Amino acid sequence: MTAGESSGSVVRRILLGSQLRRLRESRGITREAAGYSIRASESKISRMELGRVSFKSRDVEDLLTLYGVMDEAERGALLSLAKEANLTGWWHSYSDVLPGWFQTYIGLEGAASLIRVYEVQFINGLLQTEAYAHAVVERGMKAAAAGKTGGGRKSARGNRVNQADVDRRVALRLERQKLLVSERAPKFACVLDEAALRRPYGDREVMRGQIQHLIDISERPNVTLQVMPFTFGGHAGESGAFTMLSFPESDLSDVVYLEQLTGALYLDKPEEVAQYERVMAEL
C-alpha cells in the first residue's frame, strides 16, 4: 500500500462521516436514535461522523436504511467509501510508540495538498534532521518520565529513556518527511519563530546541521520557509504553534491542528478556521 492510499483512507473516513451526519440531520434524526439503530451509543455515532473510528459495513447499511437512502447506486457508493476508509495506514506499524490521537493527524498530513505551520518551540517535525529529531524526542521523553515520577532526585533512574523507543519515534518522523520530496508533495509553508532557531537541541554540530538542512530544503519549489524575528516584537501568533491542513477534495474543509501535552484538537468550523487563516496571513 502506498502512503497516498493509506493517508487517503483517513480522508475517506472523514468524508463518509460527514455525509452520514448530513443525511441524519436532513431526516431530523438524533444521534441517540441513530446509535440505537446500530446497537451503539450516541458517542459512537459522534466519533463515526467525525471520522475518528473505522466503519462496519453492517452499521453503514443500517444507518442508510434509517436515513431513507434506498437508491442502490447511492448506497453502493457510500458502502464502497466505507470499505476504502478502513484501509490500515502505513503508520500502524509504529503504533507501539504512536499516540492514538496523533494517528489521525498523520493520515490528514499525508492527504493534504497544502500544509501551513507556525512553530515556536522547535523546528517543525517535517524539517528536522535525524540528529536534531533524536535530541527533541529524547528531551520530550525525559520530561514525560520526570512528570510521572515527580522529577525528584530519587527518580533519576526512572527518568532514563528507552533508546529503542527514541529510535522508533525518530524513524517515524523521518518516514513522514518523505512526503515533502514525493511525486505528490504538498505545498509546505512554515513560519518559524526565531526562538526555534536559537534554542539548542543537541550540540553545536547538531544545530549547525539542522540550520544547513533548513537552507537546503527551503530551495525546494514546494517549500516556503520564513522566520519571525525577535526584533519584530509582538505579533499575530501570540496563541502559540498551530498547523493548517488543506485538501484537494472539495467536500473536505480545512483543518486546524493544535497539539497539546496529552492530546490534540482538530478544528474545522469555518469561523474558527477563518481566524487562523487571518493569523497565518499576518505571520
Side-chain angles (χ1 to χ4, degrees), residues 16 87 90 92 111 123 159 170 189 197 208 229 232 237 246 256 262 273 279 283:
L16 178 58
L87 293 174
W90 61 263
H92 182 73
I123 308 302
N159 292 352
V170 172
L197 298 176
R208 183 187 297 274
F232 189 88
S246 302
V256 175
T262 57
V273 172
V279 168
L283 286 170

Side-chain angles (χ1 to χ4, degrees), residues 82-108:
K83 184 177 180 179
E84 294 169 359
N86 287 333
L87 293 174
T88 301
W90 61 263
W91 53 90
H92 182 73
S93 60
Y94 291 93
S95 59
D96 56 321
V97 294
L98 183 62
W101 48 265
F102 193 56
Q103 294 185 28
T104 297
Y105 174 78
I106 294 181
L108 292 175

Side-chain angles (χ1 to χ4, degrees), residues 19-81:
Q19 291 188 47
L20 290 174
R21 185 188 72 246
R22 284 199 293 267
L23 287 169
R24 178 182 59 76
E25 291 175 344
S26 69
R27 302 300 191 275
I29 298 172
T30 66
R31 288 195 183 96
E32 183 179 9
Y36 182 80
S37 73
I38 62 168
R39 303 151 299 281
S41 65
E42 179 181 352
S43 62
K44 170 71 176 293
I45 295 295
S46 178
R47 292 195 299 274
M48 289 174 67
E49 292 181 349
L50 290 171
R52 294 179 181 171
V53 293
S54 58
F55 293 87
K56 294 180 180 178
S57 295
R58 176 185 172 185
D59 289 344
V60 175
E61 288 180 354
D62 289 347
L63 287 174
L64 292 178
T65 299
L66 177 67
Y67 301 156
V69 179
M70 308 309 293
D71 180 78
E72 288 302 320
E74 187 176 0
R75 288 177 68 94
L78 291 171
L79 288 169
S80 177
L81 191 59

Side-chain angles (χ1 to χ4, degrees), residues 2-262:
T2 66
E5 288 172 335
S6 57
S7 295
S9 66
V10 174
V11 171
R12 291 183 180 94
R13 209 162 61 216
I14 293 173
L15 287 174
L16 178 58
S18 178
Q19 291 188 47
L20 290 174
R21 185 188 72 246
R22 284 199 293 267
L23 287 169
R24 178 182 59 76
E25 291 175 344
S26 69
R27 302 300 191 275
I29 298 172
T30 66
R31 288 195 183 96
E32 183 179 9
Y36 182 80
S37 73
I38 62 168
R39 303 151 299 281
S41 65
E42 179 181 352
S43 62
K44 170 71 176 293
I45 295 295
S46 178
R47 292 195 299 274
M48 289 174 67
E49 292 181 349
L50 290 171
R52 294 179 181 171
V53 293
S54 58
F55 293 87
K56 294 180 180 178
S57 295
R58 176 185 172 185
D59 289 344
V60 175
E61 288 180 354
D62 289 347
L63 287 174
L64 292 178
T65 299
L66 177 67
Y67 301 156
V69 179
M70 308 309 293
D71 180 78
E72 288 302 320
E74 187 176 0
R75 288 177 68 94
L78 291 171
L79 288 169
S80 177
L81 191 59
K83 184 177 180 179
E84 294 169 359
N86 287 333
L87 293 174
T88 301
W90 61 263
W91 53 90
H92 182 73
S93 60
Y94 291 93
S95 59
D96 56 321
V97 294
L98 183 62
W101 48 265
F102 193 56
Q103 294 185 28
T104 297
Y105 174 78
I106 294 181
L108 292 175
E109 178 184 74
S113 56
L114 171 62
I115 302 173
R116 289 169 287 177
V117 175
Y118 172 57
E119 287 284 5
V120 182
Q121 178 74 8
F122 37 63
I123 308 302
N124 182 265
L126 291 180
L127 302 177
Q128 294 177 6
T129 64
E130 183 173 358
Y132 182 92
H134 260 282
V136 171
V137 171
E138 192 166 275
R139 174 70 185 85
M141 292 180 68
K142 283 182 178 178
K148 290 178 181 178
T149 59
R153 183 176 298 176
K154 292 182 179 179
S155 65
R157 175 175 291 184
N159 292 352
R160 293 175 184 170
V161 300
N162 185 319
Q163 282 301 317
D165 285 350
V166 172
D167 292 343
R168 290 275 291 159
R169 290 172 190 254
V170 172
L172 169 63
R173 192 160 300 182
L174 297 179
E175 190 68 30
R176 285 172 53 211
Q177 291 178 4
K178 293 178 181 179
L179 178 68
L180 292 185
V181 296
S182 66
E183 291 184 4
R184 51 177 300 278
K187 291 183 179 179
F188 182 80
C190 179
V191 177
L192 292 174
D193 193 276
E194 185 178 343
L197 298 176
R198 298 285 186 182
R199 182 175 292 107
Y201 279 92
D203 57 22
R204 289 172 63 86
E205 183 178 353
V206 171
M207 290 302 296
R208 183 187 297 274
Q210 177 61 69
I211 291 175
Q212 183 60 55
H213 178 63
L214 292 177
I215 293 171
D216 295 340
I217 201 166
S218 68
E219 296 296 324
R220 293 193 61 82
N222 61 311
V223 175
T224 300
L225 180 61
Q226 297 172 293
V227 177
M228 175 57 71
F230 289 149
T231 54
F232 189 88
H235 55 73
E238 60 187 6
S239 62
F242 63 90
T243 299
M244 297 188 67
L245 303 168
S246 302
F247 308 92
E249 292 84 359
S250 59
D251 290 345
L252 196 60
S253 62
D254 289 357
V255 174
V256 175
Y257 172 76
L258 302 173
E259 188 168 313
Q260 301 173 332
L261 188 61
T262 57

